[in-house]
Amino acid sequence: MSGWDEGAVYYSDQAQFPESGSDAAAATPSRYTILRKFKEFIRNFETEKNVFPYRESLVNNPKSLLVHLEDLLAFDAELPSLLRSSPSDHLPLFETAAAEVLQSLRLKEQAESGEMKEPETREVQILLSSKEDPVSMRMLGAQYISKLIKIGGITISASRVKAKATYVSLVCKNCQSTKEVPCRPGLGGAIVPRSCDHVPQPGEEPCPIDPWIVVPDKSKYVDQQTLKLQENPEDVPTGELPRNMLLSVDRHLVQRIVPGTRLTIIGIYSIFQAANSSTSHRGAVAIRQPYIRVVGIEEVNEASSRGHAAFTIEEVEEFKKFASRTDTYEVICSKIAPSIFGEENVKKAVACLLFGGSRKNLPDGVKLRGDINVLLLGDPSTAKSQFLKFVEKTAPVAVYTSGKGSSAAGLTASVVRDNSTREFYLEGGAMVLADGGVVCIDEFDKMRPEDRVAIHEAMEQQTISIAKAGITTVLNSRTSVLAAANPPSGRYDDLKTAQENIDLQTTILSRFDLIFIVKDKRDYGRDK
């Protein structure tokens, strides 16, 4: 019996924050602890002495707060892993913490009666950013569901803004009692209870099953928009169709993205029940469609879209050494399509096209394009298409298309109707997707004239303006064009003038800076 009277202190916080099972409580920290940690992070994280970036940005911009996951990791090693593994649970906590910190940082306001009162709590949206590498869209599988992921791509369409209810207000049609039901974020709906919990008095009729009527005016809403993200054209394996992914953005991320923008997004890989799932899945309850709930957007600027901006010291040394040579231009030209013999001038032109000129913005707002357009015209079997294929493989952003198989809408942009919502949206074509790169058009003379007219504006003004089905907009297409064409008779005819051989309109010819006539000289010794 020795030791029975030793005083032991038993502590429990179950009463205030109930946890299911004692093992679970021991393994994961309670929601209150995590909330406290998040609040400490926003208040106390400092980059250097007495510089608190998150506190400052909350006071200056109280609606949203951009948090870098690397800073969070430096502050507390547990928080980023919690955010990554179950973001839909911990992001609302983070937003609550930010709202509470903001409330404590703001001064008291003067009420109408004249006395000072506490400021009301406002919602703060947390946006995440991270320096990790994005995963490929083809790698996304079931193991990523409800996890935080980062993917890159190019937006091909954006829907119009809708209002999404966060709380739905219900009223019972029998006893007029009201109830508020929370809505799942993203594309999920609200779960409306089947029965009313009003206890009937004696002589009163009990409430029937499904008595609730939704009162839309009293519900709370946020803005929401859906985007379509397609993988970058350079990441698509040859011979496969590019994949695309549905994104849902809300609150302050709405209406920031136009089609044709390259971006990297961080989001929660979620699932939803598609409204008009095809007839084969009609009875399948368990099949869900994936989408991504975006919690952070980084626009890829032009500098970083053309390959890596970070170079090692050795590479920088090599660049400087190469730049100090006197024959750099000749060396670069010799590296262009080395398997093709001769054609020095064409190679010089292709080198200029790949590097591009400098874009000029004049003081009165006029823009002069810096991209160089080249047309190769001449006999068949003179390696014109080989140059195009080489450029497509070499340039960081390039789209290869043949003139016969591409239409005006496929080259510029098309207006498509969405099946589920029946609304129109824009999808960018080849010139929009190759923004900041090169478009190679083979068989340029076989294009229909009305399709060729569509790329006039894209080649000179470097924009594509669209007015169809109530959508009027301007898309960027800052691309160089490398085109290959044959003369109208198939071969270059020396007996005719150059104008008769080049059977293209003056309007399109004036858009090309360099036009090369590639002839196949019929010389037995040369051919041999």
Side-chain angles (χ1 to χ4, degrees):
M1 288 293 285
S2 64
W4 60 274
D5 56 346
E6 279 180 14
V9 177
Y10 293 102
Y11 161 73
S12 122
D13 64 348
Q14 279 102 348
Q16 195 177 1
F17 301 100
E19 286 270 0
S20 54
S22 54
D23 300 338
T28 59
S30 68
R31 292 173 71 85
Y32 177 70
T33 324
I34 297 168
L35 184 71
R36 207 177 62 226
K37 277 186 183 173
F38 278 139
K39 283 166 83 169
E40 277 174 23
F41 166 72
I42 297 171
R43 277 211 190 97
N44 304 335
F45 179 78
E46 53 182 348
T47 44
E48 45 196 271
K49 190 94 173 108
N50 291 337
V51 175
F52 300 100
Y54 293 116
R55 211 187 327 181
E56 299 281 321
S57 82
L58 251 190
V59 174
N60 296 334
N61 177 15
K63 290 179 179 171
S64 61
L65 178 67
L66 178 67
V67 176
H68 300 287
L69 285 175
E70 286 77 22
D71 293 350
L72 202 56
L73 186 69
F75 183 79
D76 187 316
E78 275 183 4
L79 294 180
S81 58
L82 285 174
L83 268 181
R84 282 177 206 280
S85 57
S86 53
S88 42
D89 296 342
H90 293 105
L91 264 176
L93 274 181
F94 207 163
E95 296 190 345
T96 312
E100 289 180 9
V101 170
L102 176 65
Q103 191 186 11
S104 64
L105 289 176
R106 285 169 67 208
L107 302 169
K108 292 191 173 184
E109 296 167 344
Q110 194 163 4
E112 280 145 17
S113 57
E115 60 199 38
M116 304 301 276
K117 66 173 173 67
E118 286 287 326
E120 73 236 27
T121 51
R122 291 185 189 168
E123 280 207 355
V124 179
Q125 183 177 9
I126 295 283
L127 308 176
L128 300 179
S129 88
S130 122
K131 290 197 175 73
E132 66 189 294
D133 288 337
V135 281
S136 156
M137 215 176 277
R138 293 171 184 266
M139 305 290 293
L140 293 181
Q143 73 271 24
Y144 285 107
I145 285 180
S146 305
K147 303 272 194 297
L148 205 62
I149 56 167
K150 178 175 180 180
I151 63 168
I154 182 166
T155 44
I156 53 173
S157 70
S159 75
R160 61 186 68 167
V161 180
K162 304 183 185 72
K164 153 96 176 153
T166 48
Y167 281 93
V168 177
S169 182
L170 306 172
V171 61
C172 175
K173 57 189 174 198
N174 187 37
C175 59
Q176 304 300 316
S177 61
T178 57
K179 189 184 186 90
E180 276 208 340
V181 180
C183 244
R184 287 175 304 215
L187 301 177
I191 300 170
V192 178
R194 294 294 305 270
S195 56
C196 177
D197 42 16
H198 170 69
V199 180
Q201 301 298 322
E204 195 182 2
E205 225 175 89
C207 295
I209 288 282
D210 291 334
W212 299 109
I213 299 171
V214 178
V215 187
D217 299 355
K218 293 189 178 170
S219 310
K220 293 180 189 156
Y221 296 96
V222 291
D223 290 336
Q224 193 188 39
Q225 186 183 20
T226 53
L227 307 172
K228 228 180 194 175
L229 189 78
Q230 183 177 303
E231 54 188 336
N232 287 323
E234 55 267 25
D235 301 340
V236 183
T238 316
E240 294 216 18
L241 283 174
R243 302 271 169 93
N244 51 27
M245 191 84 217
L246 196 66
L247 309 181
S248 137
V249 294
D250 56 357
R251 293 176 286 183
H252 300 290
L253 295 176
V254 161
Q255 285 190 326
R256 273 182 36 186
I257 302 301
V258 294
T261 320
R262 286 172 180 261
L263 28 108
T264 319
I265 57 128
I266 294 185
I268 306 167
Y269 193 58
S270 326
I271 46 177
F272 77 104
Q273 177 77 52
N276 56 343
S277 49
S278 58
T279 45
S280 57
H281 297 328
R282 191 52 53 84
V285 185
I287 291 181
R288 295 281 191 276
Q289 211 149 349
Y291 75 100
I292 295 177
R293 231 177 81 214
V294 179
V295 291
I297 291 182
E298 295 167 37
E299 276 190 49
V300 178
N301 55 356
E302 264 189 72
S304 58
S305 75
R306 305 184 178 203
H308 299 292
F311 296 109
T312 59
I313 301 167
E314 292 83 23
E315 285 174 322
V316 173
E317 287 294 318
E318 207 176 317
F319 291 148
K320 286 184 178 165
K321 191 171 157 191
F322 184 69
S324 62
R325 290 174 59 165
T326 51
D327 59 342
T328 43
Y329 185 37
E330 285 76 22
V331 173
I332 289 172
C333 296
S334 68
K335 297 275 192 297
I336 295 226
S339 56
I340 298 172
F341 177 77
E343 307 286 3
E344 267 73 35
N345 289 336
V346 177
K347 290 185 180 180
K348 285 181 179 175
V350 170
C352 294
L353 173 133
L354 281 171
F355 281 88
S358 55
R359 190 174 292 127
K360 295 182 180 64
N361 293 340
L362 301 182
D364 58 351
V366 174
K367 289 182 179 164
L368 298 179
R369 66 180 165 90
D371 296 302
I372 296 168
N373 301 326
V374 178
L375 171 65
L376 305 178
L377 185 128
D379 295 335
S381 76
T382 45
K384 297 192 298 293
S385 300
Q386 295 296 333
F387 274 116
L388 269 67
K389 280 287 180 195
F390 173 81
V391 168
E392 189 224 356
K393 294 273 187 296
T394 316
V397 178
V399 175
Y400 180 90
T401 160
S402 174
K404 195 68 185 157
S406 36
S407 64
L411 279 172
T412 52
S414 53
V415 175
V416 188
R417 186 172 223 159
D418 188 17
N419 285 335
S420 51
T421 56
R422 309 293 300 147
E423 67 176 35
F424 291 102
Y425 62 87
L426 267 183
E427 277 201 359
M431 303 284 270
V432 179
L433 295 184
D435 188 19
V438 187
V439 179
C440 303
I441 307 176
D442 209 348
E443 309 286 350
F444 194 61
D445 54 316
K446 316 280 191 302
M447 284 174 78
R448 292 195 298 275
E450 58 268 25
D451 296 340
R452 211 180 295 138
V453 168
I455 64 172
H456 280 185
E457 182 197 0
M459 285 174 72
E460 193 54 63
Q461 272 70 43
Q462 303 213 314
T463 55
I464 288 168
S465 46
I466 276 222
K468 279 182 199 164
I471 297 176
T472 49
T473 182
V474 175
L475 304 171
N476 280 330
S477 67
R478 294 161 296 199
T479 68
S480 307
V481 175
L482 176 59
N486 294 107
S489 59
R491 292 191 74 95
Y492 193 86
D493 192 345
D494 291 322
L495 301 174
K496 292 179 181 170
T497 59
Q499 196 174 357
E500 290 170 323
N501 271 310
I502 305 175
D503 186 32
L504 295 171
Q505 291 162 321
T506 327
T507 46
I508 194 85
L509 285 180
S510 67
R511 259 85 177 173
F512 285 107
D513 306 297
L514 296 164
I515 299 174
F516 287 96
I517 292 174
V518 191
K519 286 188 198 171
D520 183 10
K521 291 198 183 74
R522 296 178 193 170
D523 177 10
Y524 179 74
R526 182 173 180 263
D527 289 349
K528 199 166 177 185

